[in-house]
Amino acid sequence: MFSDDDPILARLRQLCLAMPGAQEKISHGHPAFFTKKIFAFFGGSMKVDGQWVQHEQAVLVLPDPDERTALLADDRFWVPAYLGPGGWIGLDLGDGTNWDEVAELVDESYRNTAGKRLIAQLDSRQH
């Protein structure tokens, strides 16, 4: 479902693994980044008119519920299968990707899943 030498995955991996305590594992055939809970996936899918549509180069994140509504108003974001009902969203990555935006999404998702100690470590780095 993914190529380990994909440069887009490498860029996402760099962002995710820079988070305190972050690790990577393969979950359901996709790279998943986690502390105790997963905060980002690389790749996903959604069902459109009964057909599966693959988003092989995408990041899936868990934003704040209020932010999720605003993000889904933007056509670039989509609701992934299985994870969508839990509040997750997807964003396709590619040539025109705004990596600062991706970093913000990963940061927010990390903060929504990581423990207080790890968030404090992250905050101490940013000051």
Side-chain angles (χ1 to χ4, degrees):
M1 291 190 185
F2 70 97
S3 174
D4 202 44
D5 62 353
D6 182 331
I8 293 174
L9 172 56
R11 187 108 185 242
L12 181 64
R13 184 178 276 144
Q14 182 180 23
L15 285 174
C16 291
L17 295 179
M19 298 295 185
Q23 298 177 52
E24 180 181 350
K25 65 181 175 181
I26 303 301
S27 179
H28 304 293
H30 295 279
F33 302 94
F34 70 100
T35 56
K36 288 189 177 188
K37 295 180 181 178
I38 294 174
F39 64 89
F41 283 96
F42 179 70
S45 62
M46 63 186 289
K47 217 170 199 181
V48 177
D49 298 327
Q51 300 295 316
W52 287 104
V53 176
Q54 297 298 317
H55 293 262
E56 294 176 3
Q57 291 181 310
V59 61
L60 307 184
V61 292
L62 182 62
D64 290 327
D66 292 340
E67 184 72 15
R68 182 179 192 263
T69 302
L71 291 169
L72 287 175
D74 182 329
D75 290 341
R76 297 173 303 143
F77 293 91
W78 46 276
V79 178
Y82 306 111
L83 297 171
W88 289 75
I89 61 169
L91 172 66
D92 290 323
L93 305 173
D95 291 338
T97 298
N98 178 337
W99 286 97
D100 290 336
E101 179 181 40
V102 173
E104 290 174 16
L105 292 166
V106 166
D107 181 271
E108 184 175 340
S109 189
Y110 178 88
R111 290 174 184 280
N112 288 330
T113 59
K116 291 178 184 178
R117 181 182 58 78
L118 293 175
I119 294 170
Q121 285 180 20
L122 180 62
D123 287 341
S124 71
R125 287 185 189 174
Q126 294 177 348
H127 293 108

